[in-house]
Amino acid sequence: MAFLKGFETWMPWAANPIYALLHESIYCQRTASNWAADRIRQAEFSQAFDAKSSADNSLPVNFTGEMVFPWMFDDFAELRSLKAAAELVAHKKDWKELYDCNKLHETTIPVASASYFEDMYVDFDHAQATAKHISGIRQWITNEFHHSGLRDDGQRILDVLMAFSRGMMPLS
């Protein structure tokens, strides 16, 4: 029972519906997501993520992490009224570029970031490739936190990033 309650409160859709609506679209550039996670899971990883088959065969059950799937807008009562909007967002094709590398390189605004070595959702090498385009970026590269760092100790992370953005090096 404790597990179910914990899972139920982990992602309170009633309080955070925007997450479900925009989760995939934040990665789109000039194309629609068309429910990318669901398509890939069904096409390339259907057996790896078949929980029933895995359990029946005493294999590990794989989880999909933070993905949002179209069926969730049917299954979760808090999301049902947003199903049409979710479909519109999933099929929107005219997304702009996420960022302009030339503009990032030209920036004079202080930029500080936290990059986590073992973030299971953000590829470290990809993050570093992006960061190299940002002129003057100050990075806090750590394995002290994972993807949920802001939830785990947001005050400390923001303190470090604010210090970095001011050109200081925090000691703790």
Side-chain angles (χ1 to χ4, degrees):
M1 188 66 157
F3 172 80
L4 289 176
K5 188 63 178 165
F7 180 80
E8 183 179 273
T9 58
W10 172 75
M11 184 51 72
W13 298 117
N16 301 305
I18 197 84
Y19 178 91
L21 282 173
L22 299 178
H23 182 70
E24 283 193 355
S25 67
I26 66 170
Y27 304 102
C28 292
Q29 296 188 97
R30 301 179 315 271
T31 190
S33 75
N34 291 315
W35 297 109
D38 192 51
R39 284 185 295 109
I40 296 298
R41 185 185 56 82
Q42 289 183 41
E44 296 179 31
F45 298 100
S46 60
Q47 287 195 298
F49 288 98
D50 183 338
K52 182 176 181 337
S53 175
S54 294
D56 289 347
N57 293 294
S58 300
L59 296 170
V61 174
N62 295 314
F63 294 100
T64 57
E66 295 183 326
M67 299 299 100
V68 175
F69 299 103
W71 54 262
M72 296 169 107
F73 291 87
D74 294 318
D75 287 6
F76 291 95
E78 302 90 346
L79 298 178
R80 285 186 194 130
S81 67
L82 302 172
K83 183 176 181 173
E87 288 295 334
L88 288 173
V89 171
H91 298 289
K92 177 180 168 54
K93 296 178 182 176
D94 59 345
W95 297 102
K96 306 254 190 272
E97 291 287 325
L98 289 175
Y99 49 84
D100 179 327
C101 289
N102 291 328
K103 297 245 187 269
L104 291 175
H105 184 71
E106 295 169 3
T107 189
T108 58
I109 298 169
V111 175
S113 72
S115 292
Y116 311 124
F117 279 116
E118 287 120 7
D119 189 322
M120 68 182 285
Y121 301 109
V122 178
D123 180 77
F124 181 77
D125 292 333
H126 183 71
Q128 294 309 293
T130 302
K132 77 176 186 180
H133 294 287
I134 304 172
S135 183
I137 190 171
R138 294 173 183 100
Q139 289 191 82
W140 180 27
I141 298 173
T142 181
N143 66 351
E144 188 175 343
F145 296 100
H146 297 273
H147 192 72
S148 61
L150 284 176
R151 271 181 279 182
D152 296 339
D153 195 353
Q155 185 65 52
R156 175 150 183 265
I157 290 171
L158 291 175
D159 287 347
V160 169
L161 294 179
M162 292 304 292
F164 273 33
S165 71
R166 293 180 179 119
M168 298 184 292
M169 180 72 79
L171 298 176
S172 61

